[in-house]
Every structure is written in C-alpha cells, then in structure tokens.
Amino acid sequence: SSGINAEYGDTGITRSRVMEEMDSAMVKIEQIRQEELESYTNFVMGLINQSGQITVERVHKLLSMLLEDSVAGMLTEEEVKAFLDKKVKQKLLSFSSGIYKKYKT
C-alpha cells in the first residue's frame, strides 16, 4: 500500500474523519442557532405582552422575517415550538389549545 487514500488524494484524510468534522460543524451551527434564538426571548415575550397571546405560527413568521439574514434565519416551526415549549418549562409562558400566553403565578 502506498499510503495514499484514493478518495481524498494524498491528504491523509479519511472518510470517517471528514464525517466527524462535518458532524462537529453541524453541532456547532445548531448551538449558534439556539443561542441566537435564545437572545430573542425578550422580543418574543414583548410580542406576547403586547397581544396577550400568540401562536407558534405567528412567532415563527415574525422570527423568520427578523432573522432572515442570520444563522438562525432558517428556523422551522418545530424549532420555534421547541423554543416556546422550553419557555413553558421555565415558567415564562403557559400553553393551552395551541396558544402561548405569559405565565401567571
């Protein structure tokens, strides 16, 4: 064996190493997206304070417009729902019948 990896030339990079690097990069991007989304907690809370209640679809639409040029811009409705559900667990919001409201103590 010449030690040359035919798939990647003579760089010495194996396919599994490339896959590990890609997985690591994807995890990092997801962390950045979650951190950026988290930074909009006050914005979302302001929306809810202003209207009294909001749906995941409405939050998704507003955040998508706001974040369209950022890493977090390609958010799915499922990701926004997970974010809002996290706020429910943190007792910042309540959820009932598809509507998020400010948590009342």
Side-chain angles (χ1 to χ4, degrees):
S1 170
S2 64
I4 296 175
N5 183 323
E7 193 172 352
Y8 297 102
D10 63 358
T11 61
I13 299 173
T14 64
R15 180 174 174 77
S16 64
R17 179 73 179 138
V18 170
M19 296 304 288
E20 285 174 23
E21 290 292 326
M22 287 175 63
D23 288 347
S24 177
M26 294 301 290
V27 166
K28 184 65 104 183
I29 288 169
E30 185 57 31
Q31 287 172 340
I32 291 168
R33 290 178 75 199
Q34 292 303 316
E35 288 169 12
E36 188 168 359
L37 184 56
E38 198 63 40
S39 73
Y40 286 94
T41 298
N42 289 338
F43 172 76
V44 172
M45 296 304 292
L47 289 173
I48 294 168
N49 285 337
Q50 194 173 45
S51 65
Q53 62 185 35
I54 202 159
T55 63
V56 69
E57 294 84 8
R58 180 89 175 123
V59 174
H60 177 250
K61 183 177 180 180
L62 292 168
L63 283 176
S64 293
M65 289 189 301
L66 184 67
L67 303 174
E68 68 183 338
D69 294 329
S70 72
V71 175
M74 298 299 290
L75 291 169
T76 65
E77 245 180 57
E78 291 79 22
E79 289 171 312
V80 173
K81 181 164 179 26
F83 167 77
L84 293 172
D85 289 346
K86 183 176 168 185
K87 300 303 161 200
V88 171
K89 287 182 182 142
Q90 294 171 343
K91 298 197 182 300
L92 294 174
L93 299 176
S94 63
F95 178 76
S96 179
S97 303
I99 302 291
Y100 290 90
K101 296 180 182 178
K102 188 174 180 184
Y103 183 82
K104 293 184 176 144
T105 54

